[in-house]
Amino acid sequence: MELRFYGATGTTTGSCHLIRSEGRSVLLDCGLFQGRREESRKRNERFGFDPQTIDAVVLSHAHIDHSGKLPMLTRQGFAGQVHATRASRDLCAVLLADSAHIQLQDAEFMNRQRWRAARERGEAPPGRHLPRHEVQPLYLEEDVQELMPRMRSHEYGAWFEPLPGMRFRFRDAGHILGSAWVEAEIREKHGLSRLVFTGDYGRFHQPILRDPEPLSEADVLISESTYGNRKHPPFQDLEGELRAAVERLEKRGRGRLLIPAFAVGRTQNILYDFARLCRAGSCPNVRFVVDSPLATAATRIVYEHPECFDAEALAQYRTLQEENSFRSRLVFTHSVEESKALNDDPRPTVLISASGMMESGRILHHLAWNVSSPEAEILIVGYQAEHTLGRRLLEGASEVRIFGMMHRVRARVTPMLGFSAHADRDELLAALVPVAGRARALFLVHGENDQRAPLAEELRRSGFQRVEMPEGPERYRVP
Ligand SMILES: [Zn+2]
């Protein structure tokens, strides 16, 4: 068997790993690189392999950095099937359509920028004609429609055989709805090899989802390492902090608690915590609004997949059908008009909106409206990459630029960064070390080098005989 890593090597996006064995080629994930527009574009433009040579894709979960290039794969001639859990397939339908829309916007933006630069050099023709087709979107919504019927869904734990002699099954990863780690058995002339791919390995005691299942023994392991050198605070503390922020809003009796949140996962976890608060009898006297079409769609999908819930979420799901102390305070906006109307509503409101790093989406309008108000509080509940508005607020900027206008920051900014859906260092070690015995090789992907290198050291000390940190698509023969 031969492995090559086409993304998430020394970074946390672009997950895409190729297994080749006796003429069969299977991709594990097919994700987009995410980051600065121009750089991402360059890295996303090519696959590094011929999509027509891929026989099947096995998808760990729906996050765009794992699934976002699937429509491009189809567009460029991939003719096989994509295998995923049922919930991942449903999430992909909305996330990939949204991604197609972003690809189009990005291409238009880059075309405008190029045109402006050409005009400054005196090279563009006079007038307002844009060179429309200079940068093409990576894919279009019709490519997503072409892809979706080829997505095959599978239950957790059920083996499936996408190619003769190669069988796979999904196991609970506890990361987001539908997420899985992947177990594979690959039959070759000289015998059977087992492979385990962690995908994004989640956390114990996460709201809604079942805990990650312990990894199986395997000859070859591919593991994520996002937080290979960091320790998260426990979830219980975070729930207390969330409650305290809502109580501050209730006490003020006006203003906003703004929560910029990723549409999938974080939004639903926060809603779940609020629902739990109400169920425990301490429902605060404020309104809860989700103002993001994508988050609303994702919340509906979560609701449609109770087969992914843990026991507590299942019980809560059943009571939610009957009582409505939280639901009567919860509003999902749909139109832009409804979103704008929120600005004129004086009631104290918890407002959850995307994007999580405050770079796009409706949250920007709410920030522009509220960031200078001492009656507003901004809760930062997710990772904020460099050069984002979220990062500047997190670092205590006294002024920020939103839609080209400078705003004084008078709102309270509260960081709550422990909500991560990735296992931390100790959780990764607890998952990996027990399977060190059989492993002939372990590949660390999906982590910056300052996270995966210390983890690699620790894993070698803990009994792994071969730990690799792929830098690019070099070829590895295993086991
Ligand atoms: Zn993920």
Side-chain angles (χ1 to χ4, degrees), residues 376-387:
E377 178 170 352
I378 302 161
L379 218 55
I380 300 188
V381 295
Y383 176 73
Q384 305 297 318
E386 273 187 297
H387 314 293

Side-chain angles (χ1 to χ4, degrees), residues 228-263:
N229 195 25
R230 199 181 298 172
K231 182 101 187 69
H232 298 318
F235 278 112
Q236 289 82 346
D237 299 354
L238 294 165
E239 283 165 23
E241 286 181 47
L242 198 59
R243 192 173 315 141
V246 181
E247 281 167 5
R248 284 195 286 275
L249 173 69
E250 193 182 16
K251 216 166 152 193
R252 283 199 301 278
R254 54 182 178 269
R256 296 283 175 269
L257 175 62
L258 292 183
I259 310 183
F262 301 111

Side-chain angles (χ1 to χ4, degrees), residues 61 63 65-66 175 200 422:
H61 66 294
H63 270 153
D65 63 315
H66 294 256
H175 169 63
D200 284 358
H422 288 268

